[in-house]
Amino acid sequence: MNPAIRNTRYFCIGLIYVASGLLFLALSSQYQFGTLSKMGPGYLPTVLAILLTGVGIVSLVLSFFLDGAPLPRPNVRALVLILLAVCGFAFLLERAGLVIALVALLVLGMAASRHNRPDLTSAVTIALLVAFCGLVFVQGLGVPMPYLGSWWH
C-alpha cells in the first residue's frame, strides 16, 4: 500500500502549522512555564504552540483521506503587497507614527485583494480601525506607540 496525498491544501497547511508550532515551541522553551495556578511567561506561548502543532498533525493525517482540489496558482502580487504592508508598518511606526503606519498597512492590504475597491466605505472603515487601534492599544493597554512619529517633530 502506497500512501498518496489526496488533499494538497490540507497537506501544505498541515506542514506550515507543524513547522510554525515546533518553531514557536522551541522559542517559548526559553521562558519559564509555571503552573496552571501560577502561569509563567512561557505558559501561553507553549500551550498555543502545542495546539498549533496538533492542528497541523490532524490536517496532515486528513490530507491522506479526504479528496481535495489541487492548489491554485499563488497570487504573487497579493503576497508581495501583504509583505510590503507588514514591513512598511514596522518601518513607519516610529518614524511616521501609528496613524500613518496603520493607514499604509490597511491601504496596501486592501490593494492586495482583487475584490476590494477604494471608496467611501473603505475610507470610513480605515478611519474607524485607526481610531479603534489607538484607543485600545495606546490608551487602553498603554502600548508605547506614538500617534505621530519623529518625522512630525
Side-chain angles (χ1 to χ4, degrees):
M1 181 170 139
N2 185 8
I5 299 168
R6 295 171 62 182
N7 192 321
T8 314
R9 289 176 190 235
Y10 277 29
F11 185 78
C12 290
I13 201 65
L15 286 179
I16 291 170
Y17 283 177
V18 168
S20 299
L22 293 176
L23 173 69
F24 297 145
L25 189 61
L27 292 173
S28 68
S29 68
Q30 63 185 323
Y31 299 109
Q32 184 180 5
F33 187 76
T35 63
L36 188 57
S37 62
K38 189 172 180 183
M39 297 177 194
Y43 189 90
L44 183 64
T46 301
V47 170
L48 291 177
I50 291 168
L51 289 172
L52 185 61
T53 304
V55 168
I57 291 169
V58 168
S59 183
L60 282 172
V61 169
L62 288 175
S63 73
F64 292 99
F65 297 102
L66 300 176
D67 290 325
L71 286 176
R73 241 179 81 216
N75 185 348
V76 177
R77 178 181 164 272
L79 291 172
V80 168
L81 283 172
I82 295 297
L83 181 62
L84 185 64
V86 173
C87 292
F89 178 82
F91 176 79
L92 290 172
L93 185 59
E94 289 295 323
R95 293 166 182 84
L98 179 67
V99 174
I100 303 295
L102 272 175
V103 169
L105 172 78
L106 294 168
V107 167
L108 282 171
M110 183 178 72
S113 171
R114 295 178 191 160
H115 307 291
N116 204 346
R117 299 279 180 248
D119 58 6
L120 181 61
T121 304
S122 300
V124 170
T125 303
I126 288 172
L128 289 173
L129 279 170
V130 169
F132 177 78
C133 288
L135 288 172
V136 169
F137 293 106
V138 178
Q139 300 300 321
L141 297 174
V143 178
M145 293 185 288
Y147 285 114
L148 293 175
S150 60
W151 288 350
W152 307 106
H153 299 297

